[in-house]
């Protein structure tokens, strides 16, 4: 059962609607695959519908790539690797990458609106986070393209060849940028498969790639489902596989690639601890908790989905958190005042509902602020579980939704033991007034990224990635480039 809500904020008043116009975007009724610089139908004519998850309204029909299309795309990428992009000097590759970055900036509103329509995320996040960071990734890697021989990869760093890249639906454009920019900067060519539920910004990026004049075949974009991804990662013509997605599929790919000698990086799931000590600036920490788990509806691999709060301040933090959650606005993703958008798909909503039902059944206390959910589309209110124990499924499994599990601790040692009690190892957060305690914690937390007195900060120069069941390899920075260089 949902507990009673705290009193409504004193000045309970409504924001007027502030919708971003969708006029800037023109969505075609149908889209083909982007192979060898051109849009083309799937060889067997198959296609699927992509929906707006906030309304369930169909947005477009998109081609579904089969094995013959994967063959065509990999062959086009191989030819570009051998004849145009591969032999091209780094100074020239850099110019193309700068062009892509500039074009993303010029078309930023179009990308942001399209991303919010296809994914369901609030426009203020697609506008202020996804799109600027995607442009930043291309700018950053453009800077590397002509400096690779000075980056510690040896005197003549060589690319790997054709990269097969598979990405999820939570940051569709940004994940495409994370994959394509370092691969291209290092001289590889790419075949990218976006997620089935969010293909549209990758196809707009294909238009930008045409606009930037990249040699045909340098980047190929194959829309489709899991079978398309499987055909791509198991194609013998692919030299390097880069996968971001669930741990389950990551393990399948690892098994398929084992023994083939092909290079692989896996960016998988997480169940991060956000650790709040009693000396932390608590109001700031509450903002960090909200950002950590409710940003992008919690569809974030590094989300701070387990709050570990020191027992002496636990009631106070929970109280302030509930008040703050009472001010979040859930609804139309295109409204500039919206904080919480739609869940990306029916399938993901079902998963969140199942895991939250398990949380209640196992005895944790569930709370959500009063909030009306729209009748059409896929929605889930911000939800907090207190009284969670480490054995509960909601403390162990990745929910990938706006759901926070709250646990408490008494000593720093106990905080570390609980934070590390997970098969994952992607990220963590630490909130404390003491620099020495931050250093003590970061030496002990088993996570690829640790944020101190902040959360969910990303920069193209900063390597991101995990270990254990969160995968291996890094994206961003010099470490991210290394994944696309032979040696
Ligand atoms: P998945 O179901 O694993 O899907 C990821 C991508 O792989 C999609 O494009 C999917 O296609 C494709 N795919 C599915 N089965 C495949 C197979 N057998 N072989 C090859 N490709 C296959 O994950 P998801 O639900 O989209 O994404 C959420 C997961 O991604 C979460 O666990 C999250 O933590 C993780 N994630 C991790 C990171 C980093 S950086 N570590 C970043 C974002 C997300 P379809 O869309 O058609 O299924």
């Amino acid at each position: 059962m949902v507990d009673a809500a705290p009193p409504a904020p004193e000045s309970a008043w409504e924001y007027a609607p502030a919708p971003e116009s969708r006029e800037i975007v023109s969505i075609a009724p149908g889209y083909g695959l982007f192979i060898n610089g051109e849009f083309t139908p799937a060889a067997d004519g198959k296609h699927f519908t992509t929906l707006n998850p906030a309304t369930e309204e169909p947005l477009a029909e998109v081609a579904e790539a089969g094995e013959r299309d994967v063959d065509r795309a990999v062959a086009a990428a191989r030819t570009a690797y051998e004849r145009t992009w591969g032999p091209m000097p780094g100074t020239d590759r850099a110019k193309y990458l700068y062009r892509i970055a500039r074009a993303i900036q010029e078309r930023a509103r179009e990308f942001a609106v399209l991303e919010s329509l296809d994914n369901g995320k609030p426009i203020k996040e697609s506008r202020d986070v996804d799109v600027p960071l995607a442009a930043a990734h291309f700018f950053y890697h453009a800077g590397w393209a002509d400096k690779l021989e000075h980056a510690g990869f040896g005197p003549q760093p060589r690319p790997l060849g054709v990269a097969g890249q598979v990405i999820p639906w939570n940051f569709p454009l940004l994940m495409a940028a994370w994959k394509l920019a370092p691969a291209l900067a290092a001289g590889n060519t790419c075949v990218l498969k976006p997620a089935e539920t969010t293909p549209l910004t990758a196809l707009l990026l294909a238009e930008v790639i045409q606009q930037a004049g990249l040699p045909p075949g340098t980047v190929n974009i194959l829309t489709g489902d899991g079978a398309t991804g499987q055909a791509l990662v198991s194609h013998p013509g692919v030299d390097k596989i880069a996968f971001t997605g669930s741990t389950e599929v990551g393990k399948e790919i690892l098994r398929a690639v084992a023994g083939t000698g092909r290079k692989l990086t896996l960016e998988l799931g997480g169940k991060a601890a956000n650790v709040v000590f009693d000396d932390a600036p608590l109001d700031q920490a509450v903002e960090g908790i909200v950002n950590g788990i409710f940003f992008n509806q919690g569809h974030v691999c590094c989300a701070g989905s387990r709050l570990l709060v020191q027992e002496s301040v636990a009631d106070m933090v929970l109280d302030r958190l509930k008040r703050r959650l009472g001010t979040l606005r859930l609804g139309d993703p295109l409204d500039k005042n919206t904080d919480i958008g739609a869940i990306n798909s029916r399938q993901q909503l079902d998963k969140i509902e199942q895991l939250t039902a398990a949380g209640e059944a196992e005895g944790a206390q569930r709370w959500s602020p009063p909030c009306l959910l729209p009748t059409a589309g896929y929605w889930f209110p911000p939800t907090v579980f207190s009284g969670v124990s480490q054995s509960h499924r909601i403390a162990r499994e990745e929910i990938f939704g706006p759901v926070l599990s709250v646990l408490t601790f008494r000593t720093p040692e106990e905080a570390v033991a609980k934070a590390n009690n997970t098969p994952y190892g992607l990220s963590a957060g630490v909130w404390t007034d003491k620099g020495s305690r931050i250093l003590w914690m970061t030496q002990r937390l088993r996570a690829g990224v640790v944020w101190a007195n902040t959360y969910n900060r990303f920069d193209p120069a900063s390597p991101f990635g995990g270990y254990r069941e969160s995968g291996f390899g890094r994206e961003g920075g010099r470490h991210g480039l290394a994944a696309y260089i032979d040696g």
Side-chain angles (χ1 to χ4, degrees):
M1 284 297 291
V2 176
D3 287 354
E10 277 166 27
S11 56
W13 48 274
E14 275 306 311
Y15 281 67
E20 173 69 73
S21 165
R22 36 183 300 182
E23 294 301 306
I24 190 147
V25 166
S26 82
I27 301 178
Y31 289 89
L33 309 168
F34 185 64
I35 300 178
N36 208 25
E38 286 174 359
F39 287 94
T40 147
D44 58 12
K46 279 194 179 171
H47 50 88
F48 60 94
T49 308
T50 184
L51 296 178
N52 177 347
T55 59
E56 295 170 72
E57 149 212 16
L59 291 171
E61 289 298 307
V62 179
E64 183 178 323
E67 286 183 10
R68 280 186 289 161
D69 303 303
V70 174
D71 279 343
R72 277 198 294 155
V74 172
R78 174 67 54 200
T79 306
Y81 177 67
E82 286 172 358
R83 302 206 186 139
T84 52
W85 192 257
M88 188 183 286
T91 42
D92 290 345
R93 291 201 305 273
K95 289 181 202 163
Y96 286 104
L97 292 180
Y98 277 123
R99 265 188 224 164
I100 296 173
R102 293 298 305 272
I104 293 174
Q105 286 186 321
E106 281 158 16
R107 301 177 74 170
R109 264 186 71 208
E110 194 181 346
F111 271 111
V113 172
L114 188 61
E115 195 75 299
S116 285
L117 284 170
D118 203 20
N119 171 281
K121 63 175 71 198
I123 185 75
K124 70 176 175 192
E125 292 180 2
S126 48
R127 180 196 63 197
D128 297 347
V129 181
D130 298 56
V131 177
L133 270 178
H137 269 267
F138 281 102
F139 274 123
Y140 173 79
H141 287 95
W144 269 122
D146 62 350
K147 300 175 192 69
L148 295 173
E149 59 272 34
H150 310 296
F153 300 127
Q156 280 188 314
R158 289 176 45 77
L160 293 166
V162 175
Q165 306 174 313
V166 179
I167 56 172
W169 45 261
N170 57 342
F171 292 92
L173 176 70
L174 185 58
M175 289 298 110
W178 278 29
K179 292 280 175 281
L180 296 176
L184 296 175
N188 303 275
T189 56
C190 302
V191 182
L192 175 86
K193 191 203 90 70
E196 184 182 358
T197 56
T198 54
L200 294 183
T201 47
L203 293 168
L204 185 57
L205 186 61
E207 274 182 36
V208 161
I209 284 164
Q210 268 184 331
Q211 188 186 344
L214 266 75
T218 305
V219 174
N220 305 273
I221 295 184
L222 296 181
T223 44
D225 60 6
T228 310
Q230 201 170 15
L232 176 59
V233 299
S234 52
H235 196 286
V238 169
D239 303 301
K240 149 87 192 180
I241 295 154
F243 174 78
T244 298
S246 60
T247 296
E248 196 189 350
V249 174
K251 284 182 181 175
E252 255 181 60
I253 295 176
L254 186 58
R255 278 191 289 269
V257 171
T260 63
R262 290 185 291 152
K263 297 250 180 178
L264 173 67
T265 41
L266 295 175
E267 302 283 356
L268 310 176
K271 190 75 190 175
N274 204 358
V275 184
V276 178
F277 285 95
D278 59 5
D279 63 344
L282 294 185
D283 286 328
Q284 250 172 280
V286 165
E287 289 307 308
I289 296 164
V290 172
N291 173 24
I293 183 63
F294 300 111
F295 170 62
N296 201 33
Q297 294 72 248
H299 300 328
V300 183
C301 50
C302 51
S305 52
R306 286 182 300 149
L307 171 63
L308 297 186
V309 56
Q310 199 152 13
E311 202 175 89
S312 48
V313 291
D315 289 345
M316 199 193 310
V317 168
L318 208 54
D319 190 46
R320 291 189 199 184
L321 178 65
K322 287 179 177 179
R323 275 174 193 279
R324 178 69 178 91
L325 294 183
T327 68
L328 294 183
R329 288 176 299 276
L330 175 148
D332 180 6
L334 285 189
D335 192 310
K336 292 167 202 157
N337 292 324
T338 292
D339 299 301
I340 310 271
I343 300 302
N344 179 249
S345 64
R346 158 63 54 196
Q347 196 189 7
Q348 187 60 27
L349 182 58
D350 289 346
K351 182 180 166 194
I352 298 169
E353 284 172 348
Q354 273 167 23
L355 276 163
T356 47
E360 279 186 88
E362 288 182 323
Q365 288 85 55
R366 177 178 186 156
W367 179 89
S368 288
C371 85
L372 281 178
L373 301 185
T375 45
Y378 315 127
W379 302 92
F380 198 84
T383 298
V384 176
F385 277 100
S386 51
V388 177
S389 86
Q390 294 186 82
S391 59
H392 287 163
R393 286 182 68 195
I394 52 170
R396 307 198 65 76
E397 295 179 32
E398 187 185 41
I399 302 174
F400 222 56
V403 182
L404 179 68
S405 300
V406 184
L407 298 95
T408 58
F409 67 90
R410 290 184 181 167
T411 62
E413 289 76 10
E414 189 187 349
V416 169
K418 285 186 168 169
N420 289 341
N421 185 10
T422 169
Y424 295 107
L426 189 57
S427 58
V430 180
W431 296 83
T432 172
D433 196 32
K434 294 185 186 62
S436 57
R437 181 173 279 164
I438 292 171
L439 295 175
W440 189 90
M441 290 290 291
T442 49
Q443 281 163 356
R444 287 162 181 79
L445 288 169
R446 286 184 283 162
V449 180
V450 181
W451 286 290
N453 293 328
T454 187
Y455 209 90
N456 273 341
R457 291 265 173 185
F458 304 99
D459 188 287
S462 175
F464 181 89
Y467 64 112
R468 306 171 77 206
E469 298 228 341
S470 294
F472 50 80
R474 294 292 176 264
E475 294 191 292
R478 200 189 141 274
H479 299 76
L481 273 171
Y484 288 97
I485 286 175
D486 201 4

